[in-house]
Amino acid sequence: MSLLLAGCAATGPAAVVPPLEPIVVDAQPLPAPALPERVARPTPPRETPRADIALVVDTSTPAHAAIADEIAAALPPRRYRIERFQATAPELDALRTRGVTVVAVGPEAVLAARAALPDKPLVFCQVPAYAEILQAGAPIWGVQTLPPLELQLKSWQSVDPSLRTIVLIVSASGATLAAEAQRAASTLAADLLVETSASDRETLYLFRRLAATVDGLWLLPDNNALSPPVLRELLALASTRGIGVLTFNEALLSRGALLTATAVPADVAETVVHVVDRVVAKRTSDLPPMTPLSAAALAVNADVATALGLPPVAVTRWVVREPD
């Protein structure tokens, strides 16, 4: 008993353990990993469908084919699909149901295109007498055949600094060219006499009457006022009178002309493409009926220049561009 009591005394009453408080952790959720921003893919540009070009060529003159080659090379293939036709091609009629723009090189090409495709937009070049063509009705636009007349006259004055009084003889159909020539002469302080002729023989008569009062004869292409025989007589008479002649055909240099001014084929092609771009895009509200060229190819007969007492000619062929 005593041992039992001693044991009870040794152990004492049972210990009381207080309950543990729960540990609360203020945990925040981990942020979600950032996803890369979605980059919008660019929408590929829509390809503009190529426009159909009917290139109609008057093959009666070799120069027209050369100009047509330049135009075909200058029309960007990504924008234009080109079909080439001769002016006499019957296939032109088949284009009536298609949306084509016509480019005509030479007078016969224009006439053929107008007859077969009267309602199609038409751009033409290499047509000296264009007044009646423009009256055939819209839609039609042209590119000048001759280099700018002011550029021609300025080049003539550079070859012949003594040039003062010039005569220009044209038919009634050349009235527009004559007016442009007069504006150029007034700008460059040259005295230009303009005469109207009803025939080639009258042209020769008028020049004979005026030869004693002029030192320059300006010949522009005009089938109503000029003919091959009269051209030969005009050049021979000018040579005997010491009169310098500016012409539009390099073949006339060997006949006694002093200077020729002709179009630069690449310039013609660039100008045609400029007009075609405007027509295809339907931006023609301020497009003139005739668009001028901007360059001239000059050739001089050095022997004639020497015979006229002009300064020595350093080069016999060169190209000038506006605003040179």
Side-chain angles (χ1 to χ4, degrees), residues 206-293:
L206 290 170
F207 182 56
R208 280 178 173 155
R209 182 169 60 84
L210 294 167
T213 61
V214 302
D215 48 18
L217 171 62
W218 196 350
L219 295 177
L220 296 176
D222 191 327
N223 290 336
N224 295 320
L226 297 172
S227 66
V230 164
L231 273 172
R232 287 193 290 270
E233 291 188 60
L234 288 170
L235 291 168
L237 179 58
S239 178
T240 59
R241 297 293 183 92
I243 297 172
V245 183
L246 169 61
T247 76
F248 52 89
N249 190 326
E250 192 168 328
L252 296 176
L253 288 176
S254 62
R255 293 283 182 177
L258 168 65
L259 185 69
T260 62
T262 56
V264 178
D267 183 43
V268 176
E270 290 172 8
T271 309
V272 168
V273 171
H274 165 75
V275 176
V276 168
D277 285 343
R278 296 280 298 272
V279 170
V280 170
K282 303 186 185 306
R283 295 186 290 108
T284 58
S285 59
D286 58 345
L287 184 64
M290 296 297 296
T291 298
L293 299 175

Side-chain angles (χ1 to χ4, degrees), residues 4-12:
L4 180 60
L5 292 173
C8 290
T11 59

Side-chain angles (χ1 to χ4, degrees), residues 5-318:
L5 292 173
C8 290
T11 59
V16 178
V17 178
L20 296 175
E21 296 277 341
I23 300 174
V24 179
V25 178
D26 187 12
Q28 298 293 329
L30 293 174
L35 296 176
E37 293 185 8
R38 181 173 296 176
V39 179
R41 293 182 179 179
T43 304
R46 291 184 178 180
E47 289 190 6
T48 304
R50 293 190 296 170
D52 287 325
I53 301 294
L55 181 59
V56 185
V57 187
D58 176 359
T59 56
S60 63
T61 303
H64 293 157
I67 292 292
D69 291 342
E70 292 277 354
I71 294 171
L75 286 165
R78 295 187 64 178
R79 298 206 304 266
Y80 298 110
R81 182 169 45 245
I82 305 167
E83 293 180 79
R84 188 161 174 166
F85 304 88
Q86 292 187 7
T88 56
E91 294 85 358
L92 285 175
D93 292 333
L95 299 177
R96 291 184 178 180
T97 59
R98 292 173 51 187
V100 300
T101 298
V102 181
V103 175
V105 183
E108 295 302 321
V110 176
L111 294 176
R114 285 285 85 179
L117 308 166
D119 300 325
K120 302 299 182 185
L122 187 149
V123 178
F124 69 86
C125 64
Q126 302 308 104
V127 181
Y130 53 80
E132 292 184 5
I133 291 175
L134 292 177
Q135 295 172 0
I140 184 168
W141 298 267
V143 170
Q144 291 283 6
T145 301
L146 297 174
L149 299 189
E150 184 174 336
L151 200 58
Q152 293 189 42
L153 184 52
K154 188 185 300 184
S155 301
W156 192 1
Q157 289 177 325
S158 70
V159 173
D160 183 358
S162 64
L163 186 66
R164 292 294 178 269
T165 305
I166 305 163
V167 61
L168 172 64
I169 305 173
V170 296
S171 67
S173 63
T176 301
L177 277 177
E180 183 184 341
Q182 285 178 316
R183 288 192 295 271
S186 63
T187 301
L188 299 174
D191 186 10
L192 180 67
L193 307 177
V194 177
E195 295 286 340
T196 303
S197 170
S199 68
D200 58 343
R201 301 312 301 180
E202 185 177 2
T203 299
L204 183 58
Y205 164 77
L206 290 170
F207 182 56
R208 280 178 173 155
R209 182 169 60 84
L210 294 167
T213 61
V214 302
D215 48 18
L217 171 62
W218 196 350
L219 295 177
L220 296 176
D222 191 327
N223 290 336
N224 295 320
L226 297 172
S227 66
V230 164
L231 273 172
R232 287 193 290 270
E233 291 188 60
L234 288 170
L235 291 168
L237 179 58
S239 178
T240 59
R241 297 293 183 92
I243 297 172
V245 183
L246 169 61
T247 76
F248 52 89
N249 190 326
E250 192 168 328
L252 296 176
L253 288 176
S254 62
R255 293 283 182 177
L258 168 65
L259 185 69
T260 62
T262 56
V264 178
D267 183 43
V268 176
E270 290 172 8
T271 309
V272 168
V273 171
H274 165 75
V275 176
V276 168
D277 285 343
R278 296 280 298 272
V279 170
V280 170
K282 303 186 185 306
R283 295 186 290 108
T284 58
S285 59
D286 58 345
L287 184 64
M290 296 297 296
T291 298
L293 299 175
S294 59
L298 284 304
V300 64
N301 186 324
D303 292 336
V304 172
T306 300
L308 293 174
L310 303 181
V313 178
V315 293
T316 57
R317 284 179 173 79
W318 69 102

